[in-house]
Amino acid sequence: MVTSILNEIISQEQHWTEATPPSAYDLTLLWPRISIVMPSYNQAEFIRESIQSVLNQNYPNLEFIIIDGGSTDGTVNIIKEYECQLAYWISEPDNGQSHALNKGFNKATGNIMGWLNSDDLYTKYAFLNTINTFKRFPGLSVVFADYYFINKESRYIEYKHAFNFKVNQLYYEGWFLNVQSMFWTAEAHKRFGHFDINLHRNMDYDFVIRMGLNEGYNRFYRLNDIALGCFRLHENQKTRGMNDITIREQYLISSKINKLSKFTMIGKILRYVFRLRRLFWYIKRKGFLTVVNLIRKKISL
């Protein structure tokens, strides 16, 4: 069963380039406004496809905001091609991605919020699936789902399974969801506040942890076997792997929430405990043989 689902996913690996048909939305209904903020800097190679993945949702109440940090590679010319479909855009030097996100969300007036980097993508029906979930469960703060890893050419690399939200899993062990496949309410964003401009690589990690602490795990909802977004892997992305900057920023995040146990022996033990939980989740969602093959593949790299 799981194998057949994965084979179907791979056979349709580029469905994120397809548009959601406008007929998918009943225009006799009131659709809540979705605000999408896209921070950008020198992403001319990818930003057109990222913009199109937003506009191709054909969502009837979209507020699309692009904050560019003064690109010099042709990005601005691409943005200008779409400016009539944007609620707001600007290109000027800033203090990094966190600053750009704050500028964008300060402009946002939507009921539901999303953040898409200018090299990542939304999948077909992403907005429709998200809004239908918020309508079905009105007490939710966050909706998230699975996501794809794609390469520089927008080709499929791997289908990444999210699993039920736990702050400690994220804190001690690492990512199991992706902000490009996550949407949240305006009220939750107000409680979150602002992105820390001292963070240049881990602002998403800080964002999700603080959202989790504010909202509680029972207000996060995971869509099952649906991918809402694509995270692009390429040689120029700034968030690949662990380095001194990443470690320093994670220490800063831990200090802010008064939780430095991650960097102690207990934290190291808990990391392996939560890693086992991740393994069980992967077996549950992917199947034992698929997980064994993935482990073999990683060992062989």
Side-chain angles (χ1 to χ4, degrees):
M1 176 67 176
V2 173
T3 302
S4 65
I5 291 173
L6 290 176
N7 288 336
E8 182 178 350
I9 288 166
I10 293 170
S11 69
Q12 298 175 356
E13 62 184 44
Q14 285 194 318
H15 80 275
W16 45 82
T17 64
E18 300 174 5
T20 303
S23 59
Y25 304 99
D26 182 351
L27 297 183
T28 66
L29 301 177
L30 182 63
W31 292 90
R33 178 173 296 173
I34 294 180
S35 294
I36 302 299
V37 173
M38 179 180 288
S40 174
Y41 182 68
N42 284 344
Q43 291 284 8
E45 184 175 8
F46 304 118
I47 192 171
R48 184 186 303 278
E49 191 177 10
S50 298
I51 290 172
Q52 289 174 346
S53 81
V54 177
L55 299 178
N56 281 348
Q57 300 296 319
N58 283 311
Y59 189 73
N61 195 2
L62 171 66
E63 180 179 62
F64 190 9
I65 297 166
I66 299 179
I67 307 295
D68 181 76
S71 292
T72 58
D73 67 340
T75 293
V76 173
N77 289 333
I78 295 172
I79 295 172
K80 286 180 178 179
E81 293 179 30
Y82 297 93
E83 62 183 343
C84 65
Q85 296 170 278
L86 303 177
Y88 177 83
W89 78 275
I90 193 169
S91 180
E92 63 182 9
D94 55 36
N95 295 322
Q97 188 175 357
S98 293
H99 185 209
L101 287 165
N102 286 334
K103 288 163 63 177
F105 283 109
N106 284 342
K107 294 285 185 181
T109 63
N111 310 98
I112 304 299
M113 307 287 189
W115 154 20
L116 186 71
N117 289 326
S118 53
D119 52 355
D120 298 327
L121 306 173
Y122 286 130
T123 61
K124 184 179 181 181
Y125 296 116
F127 291 6
L128 181 63
N129 286 325
T130 296
I131 294 302
N132 283 342
T133 304
F134 276 115
K135 286 183 175 181
R136 184 181 175 192
F137 305 107
L140 294 177
S141 295
V142 177
V143 170
F144 68 101
D146 302 339
Y147 56 99
Y148 296 97
F149 276 170
I150 60 174
N151 67 11
K152 183 178 179 180
E153 291 77 30
S154 302
R155 300 292 295 181
Y156 171 93
I157 297 176
E158 186 179 352
Y159 187 88
K160 301 294 288 185
H161 289 271
F163 46 89
N164 290 354
F165 186 82
K166 293 287 184 184
V167 171
N168 282 336
Q169 178 84 43
L170 179 63
Y171 177 72
Y172 286 108
E173 199 272 331
W175 283 105
F176 57 88
L177 73 166
N178 190 290
V179 292
Q180 320 311 327
S181 193
M182 171 179 165
F183 297 85
W184 55 96
T185 64
E187 292 79 8
H189 196 92
K190 288 178 183 177
R191 288 188 286 269
F192 161 74
H194 293 89
F195 292 88
D196 188 340
I197 61 172
N198 295 306
L199 300 176
H200 297 279
R201 298 198 177 194
N202 290 267
M203 70 289 293
D204 49 356
Y205 181 70
D206 180 57
F207 169 68
V208 179
I209 284 180
R210 285 163 58 193
M211 288 284 279
L213 292 173
N214 289 342
E215 306 304 317
Y217 74 91
N218 59 334
R219 299 186 72 179
F220 279 67
Y221 186 88
R222 176 180 60 82
L223 290 171
N224 193 38
D225 291 327
I226 293 176
L228 298 179
C230 304
F231 183 79
R232 191 186 303 274
L233 301 177
H234 58 94
E235 61 272 14
N236 294 323
Q237 68 184 142
K238 66 181 181 180
T239 55
R240 296 194 76 172
M242 293 289 287
N243 54 38
D244 290 343
I245 296 174
T246 298
I247 293 170
R248 284 199 302 270
E249 290 191 357
Q250 290 195 5
Y251 191 89
L252 175 62
I253 293 166
S254 298
S255 299
K256 290 194 303 179
I257 62 175
N258 295 316
K259 194 170 184 177
L260 291 171
S261 54
K262 176 178 180 176
F263 302 94
T264 67
M265 182 58 67
I266 292 175
K268 293 178 180 178
I269 293 171
L270 287 173
R271 182 181 180 216
Y272 286 106
V273 170
F274 283 107
R275 182 147 289 186
L276 283 173
R277 180 178 182 263
R278 179 190 289 264
L279 176 63
F280 288 135
W281 261 97
Y282 281 166
I283 292 172
K284 179 180 178 180
R285 298 209 58 203
K286 294 187 175 187
F288 179 76
L289 292 179
T290 302
V291 171
V292 169
N293 288 332
L294 285 173
I295 292 173
R296 285 176 176 172
K297 182 179 177 181
K298 290 186 180 296
I299 291 174
S300 65
L301 293 177

